[in-house]
Amino acid sequence: MPENEIHTIPLWPLLLYASIVVVLLAAILFLSYILGQHHRDRDTGKPYEGGIEQTGSARLRFSAQFYLVAMLFVIFDVEAVFIMLWALGFYELGWAGYVGAAIFIGQLVVVLIYEWGIGALDIGADANEILKVYKRKTMAKGLKG
């Protein structure tokens, strides 16, 4: 085989696949429009069609703790991708890859324990606080009744 020979990959399979996807998508949307329900009830135009009147604003404030947990989720999710990629190349990486992945997972465990220790994962009320409030309410009802 000559060294300067250029191999060309035919594009027609990709174009055929893309056109099949577009045709199927158009067919599904068209059938959904034709076979779907068409009605104009009073509450159809309202958000969520729940029949519940809206009260207040849709702009809610979230605690900074919520964003911290969301960032932790994203970070650990990205690290899970790295671990999955390592698993794909497990045999090619050998023992060096295994030790590297073990160190990486160990660091993740240390960070998770640290975040748990500083209370970054405590976003709800403490169970003991909920129990105290419940006991107070039940005692107040017992005194009244």
Side-chain angles (χ1 to χ4, degrees):
M1 190 186 285
E3 200 174 292
N4 58 1
E5 184 179 323
I6 298 174
H7 294 285
T8 58
I9 300 173
L11 268 165
W12 70 267
L14 180 64
L15 294 175
L16 178 67
Y17 179 74
S19 61
I20 290 172
V21 167
V22 169
V23 167
L24 283 175
L25 178 66
I28 289 170
L29 289 174
F30 179 73
L31 285 173
S32 173
Y33 178 76
I34 296 297
L35 300 175
Q37 296 180 359
H38 299 284
H39 55 84
R40 291 280 177 199
D41 291 336
R42 186 171 55 108
D43 290 335
T44 301
K46 290 187 178 179
Y48 310 114
E49 298 183 28
I52 300 172
E53 292 294 325
Q54 293 179 343
T55 59
S57 172
R59 307 279 185 225
L60 300 175
R61 291 185 180 212
F62 290 105
S63 154
Q65 203 77 11
F66 170 80
Y67 295 108
L68 181 60
V69 171
M71 287 189 312
L72 287 173
F73 172 76
V74 169
I75 290 169
F76 280 100
D77 197 38
V78 169
E79 290 165 349
V81 169
F82 286 126
I83 292 172
M84 286 180 209
L85 291 174
W86 166 79
L88 289 175
F90 177 74
Y91 292 110
E92 291 84 12
L93 294 173
W95 282 103
Y98 180 77
V99 169
I103 291 171
F104 181 68
I105 292 171
Q107 288 176 344
L108 290 179
V109 169
V110 168
V111 169
L112 184 62
I113 291 171
Y114 172 75
E115 294 289 342
W116 192 1
I118 65 170
L121 303 177
D122 299 333
I123 58 170
D126 187 18
N128 290 332
E129 291 177 23
I130 294 172
L131 211 64
K132 287 178 187 174
V133 170
Y134 177 73
K135 285 181 181 178
R136 275 190 229 133
K137 285 185 178 180
T138 54
M139 287 178 64
K141 285 182 183 178
L143 292 175
K144 289 180 184 176

Coordinates of all heavy atoms in Angstrom, one line a residue, residues 52-118:
I52 N -55.5 25.5 39.8 CA -55.2 26.2 41.0 C -54.8 27.6 40.6 O -53.9 27.8 39.8 CB -54.1 25.5 41.9 CG1 -54.6 24.1 42.2 CG2 -53.8 26.3 43.1 CD1 -53.5 23.3 42.9
E53 N -55.5 28.6 41.2 CA -55.2 29.9 41.0 C -53.8 30.3 41.5 O -53.3 29.8 42.5 CB -56.2 30.9 41.6 CG -57.6 30.8 41.0 CD -57.6 31.3 39.6 OE1 -56.8 32.2 39.2 OE2 -58.3 30.7 38.8
Q54 N -53.0 31.1 40.7 CA -51.7 31.5 41.1 C -51.8 32.5 42.2 O -52.6 33.4 42.3 CB -51.0 32.1 39.9 CG -50.7 31.1 38.8 CD -50.0 31.8 37.7 OE1 -50.0 33.0 37.6 NE2 -49.4 31.0 36.8
T55 N -50.9 32.3 43.2 CA -50.7 33.3 44.3 C -49.2 33.6 44.4 O -48.4 32.7 44.3 CB -51.2 32.7 45.6 OG1 -50.5 31.5 45.9 CG2 -52.7 32.4 45.5
G56 N -48.9 34.8 44.6 CA -47.5 35.2 44.8 C -46.7 35.2 43.5 O -47.3 35.1 42.5
S57 N -45.4 35.4 43.7 CA -44.5 35.6 42.6 C -43.9 34.2 42.3 O -43.7 33.4 43.2 CB -43.5 36.6 42.9 OG -42.5 36.6 41.9
A58 N -43.5 34.1 41.1 CA -42.7 32.9 40.7 C -41.2 33.0 41.1 O -40.5 32.1 41.0 CB -42.8 32.6 39.2
R59 N -40.8 34.2 41.5 CA -39.4 34.4 41.8 C -39.2 34.1 43.3 O -39.6 34.8 44.2 CB -39.1 35.9 41.6 CG -39.4 36.4 40.3 CD -38.3 36.0 39.3 NE -38.6 36.6 38.0 CZ -38.5 36.0 36.9 NH1 -38.1 34.7 36.9 NH2 -38.7 36.6 35.7
L60 N -38.7 32.9 43.5 CA -38.4 32.4 44.9 C -36.9 32.6 45.2 O -36.1 32.4 44.3 CB -38.8 31.0 45.0 CG -40.3 30.6 44.8 CD1 -40.5 29.1 44.8 CD2 -41.2 31.3 45.8
R61 N -36.7 32.9 46.4 CA -35.3 32.9 46.8 C -34.9 31.6 47.4 O -35.6 31.0 48.3 CB -35.1 34.0 47.9 CG -35.2 35.4 47.3 CD -34.9 36.4 48.3 NE -35.1 37.7 47.8 CZ -34.3 38.8 48.1 NH1 -33.5 38.7 49.1 NH2 -34.5 39.9 47.5
F62 N -33.7 31.1 47.0 CA -33.2 29.8 47.5 C -32.1 30.1 48.4 O -31.3 31.1 48.2 CB -32.7 28.9 46.4 CG -33.9 28.4 45.6 CD1 -34.1 28.8 44.3 CD2 -34.6 27.3 46.1 CE1 -35.1 28.3 43.5 CE2 -35.7 26.8 45.3 CZ -35.9 27.3 44.0
S63 N -31.9 29.3 49.4 CA -30.8 29.4 50.3 C -29.5 29.2 49.6 O -29.4 28.4 48.6 CB -31.0 28.4 51.5 OG -29.8 28.1 52.0
A64 N -28.4 29.8 50.1 CA -27.1 29.6 49.5 C -26.7 28.1 49.7 O -25.9 27.6 48.9 CB -26.1 30.5 50.2
Q65 N -27.2 27.5 50.7 CA -26.9 26.1 50.9 C -27.4 25.2 49.7 O -26.7 24.3 49.4 CB -27.6 25.6 52.2 CG -27.0 24.5 52.9 CD -25.8 24.8 53.6 OE1 -25.5 26.0 53.8 NE2 -25.0 23.9 54.1
F66 N -28.5 25.6 49.1 CA -29.0 24.9 48.0 C -28.0 24.9 46.8 O -27.7 23.9 46.2 CB -30.3 25.5 47.5 CG -30.8 25.0 46.2 CD1 -31.4 23.7 46.1 CD2 -30.6 25.7 45.0 CE1 -31.8 23.2 44.9 CE2 -31.0 25.2 43.8 CZ -31.6 24.0 43.7
Y67 N -27.4 26.1 46.6 CA -26.4 26.2 45.5 C -25.2 25.5 45.8 O -24.5 24.9 44.9 CB -26.1 27.7 45.2 CG -27.4 28.4 44.7 CD1 -28.0 29.3 45.5 CD2 -27.8 28.2 43.5 CE1 -29.2 30.0 45.1 CE2 -29.0 28.8 43.0 CZ -29.6 29.7 43.8 OH -30.7 30.4 43.3
L68 N -24.8 25.4 47.1 CA -23.6 24.7 47.5 C -23.8 23.2 47.2 O -22.9 22.5 46.6 CB -23.3 24.9 49.0 CG -22.0 24.2 49.5 CD1 -20.8 24.6 48.8 CD2 -21.9 24.5 51.0
V69 N -24.9 22.7 47.5 CA -25.2 21.2 47.3 C -25.3 21.0 45.7 O -24.8 20.0 45.3 CB -26.5 20.8 47.9 CG1 -26.9 19.4 47.5 CG2 -26.4 20.8 49.4
A70 N -25.8 22.0 45.0 CA -25.9 21.8 43.5 C -24.5 21.8 42.9 O -24.2 21.0 42.1 CB -26.7 23.0 42.9
M71 N -23.6 22.7 43.4 CA -22.2 22.7 42.9 C -21.5 21.4 43.3 O -20.8 20.8 42.5 CB -21.5 23.9 43.5 CG -21.9 25.2 42.9 SD -20.8 26.6 43.3 CE -20.7 26.5 45.0
L72 N -21.7 20.9 44.5 CA -21.1 19.6 44.9 C -21.6 18.5 44.0 O -20.8 17.6 43.6 CB -21.5 19.3 46.4 CG -20.7 20.1 47.4 CD1 -21.3 19.8 48.8 CD2 -19.3 19.8 47.4
F73 N -22.9 18.5 43.6 CA -23.4 17.5 42.8 C -22.7 17.5 41.4 O -22.4 16.5 40.9 CB -24.9 17.6 42.6 CG -25.5 16.7 41.5 CD1 -25.7 15.4 41.8 CD2 -25.8 17.2 40.3 CE1 -26.2 14.6 40.8 CE2 -26.3 16.4 39.3 CZ -26.5 15.1 39.6
V74 N -22.6 18.7 40.8 CA -21.9 18.8 39.5 C -20.5 18.4 39.6 O -20.0 17.6 38.7 CB -22.0 20.3 39.0 CG1 -21.1 20.5 37.8 CG2 -23.5 20.7 38.7
I75 N -19.8 18.8 40.7 CA -18.4 18.3 40.8 C -18.3 16.8 40.9 O -17.5 16.2 40.2 CB -17.8 19.0 42.0 CG1 -17.6 20.5 41.8 CG2 -16.4 18.4 42.4 CD1 -17.2 21.3 43.0
F76 N -19.1 16.2 41.7 CA -19.0 14.7 41.9 C -19.5 14.0 40.6 O -19.1 12.9 40.3 CB -19.8 14.3 43.1 CG -19.0 14.5 44.4 CD1 -19.2 15.6 45.2 CD2 -18.0 13.6 44.7 CE1 -18.4 15.7 46.3 CE2 -17.2 13.8 45.9 CZ -17.4 14.8 46.7
D77 N -20.4 14.7 39.9 CA -20.9 14.1 38.7 C -19.8 14.1 37.6 O -19.6 13.1 36.9 CB -22.1 14.9 38.2 CG -22.9 14.1 37.2 OD1 -23.1 12.9 37.3 OD2 -23.4 14.7 36.2
V78 N -19.1 15.2 37.5 CA -18.0 15.2 36.5 C -16.9 14.2 36.9 O -16.3 13.5 36.1 CB -17.4 16.7 36.5 CG1 -16.1 16.7 35.7 CG2 -18.4 17.6 35.8
E79 N -16.6 14.1 38.2 CA -15.6 13.1 38.7 C -16.1 11.7 38.4 O -15.3 10.8 38.1 CB -15.3 13.3 40.1 CG -14.5 14.6 40.3 CD -14.5 15.1 41.7 OE1 -15.2 14.5 42.6 OE2 -13.7 16.0 42.0
A80 N -17.4 11.4 38.4 CA -17.9 10.1 38.0 C -17.6 9.8 36.6 O -17.3 8.6 36.2 CB -19.4 10.0 38.3
V81 N -17.7 10.8 35.7 CA -17.3 10.6 34.3 C -15.9 10.2 34.2 O -15.5 9.3 33.4 CB -17.6 11.9 33.5 CG1 -17.0 11.8 32.1 CG2 -19.1 12.2 33.5
F82 N -15.0 10.8 34.9 CA -13.6 10.4 34.9 C -13.4 9.0 35.4 O -12.6 8.2 34.8 CB -12.7 11.3 35.8 CG -12.5 12.7 35.2 CD1 -12.8 13.8 35.9 CD2 -11.9 12.8 33.9 CE1 -12.6 15.1 35.4 CE2 -11.7 14.1 33.4 CZ -12.1 15.2 34.1
I83 N -14.1 8.6 36.4 CA -14.0 7.2 36.9 C -14.5 6.2 35.8 O -13.9 5.1 35.6 CB -14.7 7.0 38.2 CG1 -14.0 7.8 39.3 CG2 -14.8 5.6 38.6 CD1 -14.7 7.9 40.6
M84 N -15.6 6.6 35.1 CA -16.1 5.7 34.1 C -15.1 5.6 32.9 O -15.0 4.5 32.4 CB -17.5 6.2 33.6 CG -18.6 6.0 34.5 SD -20.1 6.6 33.9 CE -21.0 7.1 35.3
L85 N -14.5 6.7 32.6 CA -13.5 6.6 31.5 C -12.3 5.7 31.9 O -11.7 5.0 31.1 CB -13.0 8.0 31.1 CG -14.1 8.9 30.4 CD1 -13.6 10.3 30.2 CD2 -14.5 8.2 29.1
W86 N -11.9 5.8 33.2 CA -10.9 5.0 33.7 C -11.3 3.5 33.6 O -10.5 2.7 33.2 CB -10.5 5.4 35.1 CG -9.7 4.3 35.8 CD1 -8.4 4.1 35.7 CD2 -10.2 3.3 36.7 NE1 -8.0 3.1 36.4 CE2 -9.1 2.5 37.1 CE3 -11.4 2.9 37.2 CZ2 -9.2 1.4 37.9 CZ3 -11.5 1.9 38.0 CH2 -10.4 1.1 38.4
A87 N -12.5 3.2 33.9 CA -13.0 1.8 33.8 C -12.9 1.3 32.4 O -12.7 0.1 32.2 CB -14.4 1.8 34.4
L88 N -13.2 2.2 31.4 CA -13.1 1.7 30.0 C -11.7 1.4 29.6 O -11.4 0.4 28.8 CB -13.6 2.8 29.1 CG -15.1 3.0 29.1 CD1 -15.5 4.2 28.2 CD2 -15.8 1.8 28.6
G89 N -10.7 2.1 30.2 CA -9.3 1.8 29.8 C -8.6 1.0 30.9 O -7.4 1.1 31.0
F90 N -9.3 0.2 31.7 CA -8.8 -0.5 32.8 C -7.6 -1.4 32.5 O -6.5 -1.4 33.1 CB -9.9 -1.3 33.5 CG -9.4 -2.1 34.7 CD1 -9.1 -1.5 35.9 CD2 -9.3 -3.5 34.6 CE1 -8.6 -2.2 37.0 CE2 -8.9 -4.2 35.6 CZ -8.5 -3.6 36.8
Y91 N -7.8 -2.2 31.4 CA -6.8 -3.2 31.1 C -5.5 -2.5 30.5 O -4.4 -3.0 30.7 CB -7.3 -4.2 30.1 CG -8.4 -5.1 30.8 CD1 -9.7 -5.0 30.5 CD2 -8.0 -6.0 31.8 CE1 -10.6 -5.9 31.1 CE2 -8.9 -6.8 32.4 CZ -10.2 -6.7 32.1 OH -11.2 -7.5 32.7
E92 N -5.7 -1.5 29.7 CA -4.6 -0.8 29.1 C -3.8 0.0 30.1 O -2.6 0.2 30.0 CB -5.1 0.2 28.0 CG -5.6 -0.5 26.8 CD -7.1 -0.9 26.9 OE1 -7.7 -0.4 27.9 OE2 -7.6 -1.7 26.1
L93 N -4.4 0.5 31.2 CA -3.7 1.3 32.2 C -2.9 0.5 33.2 O -1.9 1.0 33.7 CB -4.7 2.2 32.9 CG -5.4 3.2 32.1 CD1 -6.5 3.9 32.9 CD2 -4.4 4.2 31.6
G94 N -3.3 -0.7 33.4 CA -2.6 -1.6 34.3 C -2.6 -1.2 35.7 O -3.5 -0.5 36.2
W95 N -1.6 -1.6 36.5 CA -1.5 -1.3 37.9 C -1.3 0.2 38.2 O -1.8 0.7 39.2 CB -0.4 -2.1 38.6 CG -0.9 -3.5 38.9 CD1 -0.5 -4.6 38.2 CD2 -1.8 -4.0 39.9 NE1 -1.2 -5.7 38.6 CE2 -2.0 -5.4 39.7 CE3 -2.5 -3.3 40.9 CZ2 -2.8 -6.1 40.5 CZ3 -3.3 -4.1 41.7 CH2 -3.5 -5.5 41.5
A96 N -0.6 0.8 37.4 CA -0.4 2.3 37.6 C -1.7 3.0 37.5 O -2.0 3.9 38.3 CB 0.6 2.8 36.5
G97 N -2.5 2.7 36.5 CA -3.9 3.3 36.4 C -4.7 2.9 37.6 O -5.5 3.8 38.1
Y98 N -4.6 1.7 38.1 CA -5.4 1.3 39.3 C -5.0 2.1 40.5 O -5.9 2.6 41.2 CB -5.2 -0.2 39.5 CG -6.0 -0.7 40.7 CD1 -7.4 -0.9 40.6 CD2 -5.4 -0.9 41.9 CE1 -8.1 -1.4 41.7 CE2 -6.1 -1.4 43.0 CZ -7.5 -1.6 42.9 OH -8.2 -2.1 43.9
V99 N -3.7 2.3 40.7 CA -3.3 3.0 41.9 C -3.7 4.5 41.7 O -4.2 5.1 42.7 CB -1.7 2.9 42.0 CG1 -1.2 3.9 43.1 CG2 -1.4 1.5 42.4
G100 N -3.6 5.0 40.5 CA -4.0 6.4 40.3 C -5.5 6.6 40.6 O -5.9 7.6 41.2
A101 N -6.3 5.7 40.1 CA -7.7 5.8 40.3 C -8.1 5.6 41.8 O -9.0 6.3 42.3 CB -8.5 4.7 39.5
A102 N -7.3 4.7 42.5 CA -7.6 4.5 43.9 C -7.2 5.8 44.7 O -8.0 6.2 45.6 CB -6.8 3.4 44.5
I103 N -6.2 6.5 44.3 CA -5.8 7.8 45.0 C -6.9 8.8 44.7 O -7.3 9.6 45.6 CB -4.4 8.2 44.5 CG1 -3.3 7.3 45.1 CG2 -4.2 9.7 44.9 CD1 -2.0 7.6 44.5
F104 N -7.3 8.8 43.5 CA -8.4 9.8 43.1 C -9.7 9.6 43.8 O -10.3 10.5 44.4 CB -8.6 9.7 41.6 CG -9.7 10.6 41.0 CD1 -9.4 12.0 40.9 CD2 -10.9 10.1 40.5 CE1 -10.4 12.8 40.4 CE2 -11.8 11.0 40.0 CZ -11.6 12.3 39.9
I105 N -10.1 8.3 43.9 CA -11.3 8.0 44.7 C -11.1 8.3 46.2 O -12.0 8.8 46.9 CB -11.7 6.5 44.5 CG1 -12.2 6.4 43.0 CG2 -12.8 6.1 45.4 CD1 -12.4 4.9 42.6
G106 N -9.9 8.0 46.7 CA -9.6 8.4 48.1 C -9.7 9.9 48.4 O -10.3 10.3 49.4
Q107 N -9.3 10.7 47.4 CA -9.4 12.1 47.6 C -10.9 12.5 47.6 O -11.3 13.4 48.3 CB -8.7 12.8 46.4 CG -7.2 12.8 46.6 CD -6.5 13.4 45.4 OE1 -7.1 13.6 44.3 NE2 -5.2 13.7 45.5
L108 N -11.7 11.9 46.7 CA -13.1 12.2 46.7 C -13.8 11.8 48.0 O -14.6 12.6 48.5 CB -13.8 11.4 45.6 CG -13.5 11.8 44.2 CD1 -14.3 10.8 43.2 CD2 -13.9 13.2 43.9
V109 N -13.4 10.7 48.6 CA -13.9 10.3 49.9 C -13.5 11.3 51.0 O -14.4 11.7 51.8 CB -13.5 8.9 50.3 CG1 -13.8 8.6 51.7 CG2 -14.1 7.9 49.4
V110 N -12.3 11.8 51.0 CA -11.8 12.8 52.0 C -12.6 14.1 51.8 O -13.0 14.7 52.8 CB -10.3 13.0 51.8 CG1 -9.8 14.2 52.6 CG2 -9.5 11.8 52.3
V111 N -12.8 14.5 50.6 CA -13.5 15.8 50.4 C -15.0 15.6 50.8 O -15.6 16.5 51.4 CB -13.5 16.2 48.9 CG1 -14.4 17.3 48.5 CG2 -12.1 16.6 48.5
L112 N -15.6 14.5 50.5 CA -17.0 14.2 50.9 C -17.1 14.2 52.4 O -18.0 14.9 53.0 CB -17.5 12.9 50.3 CG -18.9 12.6 50.6 CD1 -19.8 13.7 50.0 CD2 -19.3 11.2 50.1
I113 N -16.2 13.6 53.1 CA -16.2 13.6 54.6 C -16.0 15.0 55.1 O -16.7 15.4 56.1 CB -15.1 12.6 55.2 CG1 -15.5 11.2 54.8 CG2 -14.9 12.8 56.6 CD1 -14.4 10.2 55.1
Y114 N -15.1 15.8 54.5 CA -14.9 17.2 54.9 C -16.2 18.0 54.8 O -16.6 18.7 55.7 CB -13.7 17.8 54.2 CG -13.6 19.3 54.4 CD1 -13.0 19.7 55.6 CD2 -14.0 20.2 53.5 CE1 -12.9 21.1 55.8 CE2 -13.8 21.5 53.7 CZ -13.3 22.0 54.9 OH -13.2 23.3 55.1
E115 N -16.8 17.9 53.6 CA -18.0 18.7 53.3 C -19.1 18.3 54.3 O -19.9 19.1 54.7 CB -18.5 18.4 51.9 CG -17.5 19.0 50.8 CD -17.5 20.5 50.8 OE1 -18.5 21.1 51.3 OE2 -16.6 21.1 50.2
W116 N -19.2 17.0 54.6 CA -20.2 16.5 55.5 C -19.9 17.1 56.9 O -20.8 17.5 57.6 CB -20.2 15.0 55.5 CG -21.3 14.3 56.2 CD1 -22.4 14.9 56.9 CD2 -21.5 12.9 56.4 NE1 -23.2 14.0 57.4 CE2 -22.7 12.7 57.1 CE3 -20.8 11.8 56.0 CZ2 -23.2 11.5 57.4 CZ3 -21.3 10.6 56.3 CH2 -22.5 10.4 57.0
G117 N -18.6 17.1 57.3 CA -18.2 17.6 58.6 C -18.5 19.1 58.8 O -18.9 19.5 59.9
I118 N -18.4 19.9 57.8 CA -18.6 21.3 57.9 C -20.1 21.7 57.8 O -20.5 22.8 57.9 CB -17.8 22.2 57.0 CG1 -18.1 21.9 55.5 CG2 -16.3 22.0 57.2 CD1 -17.5 22.9 54.5

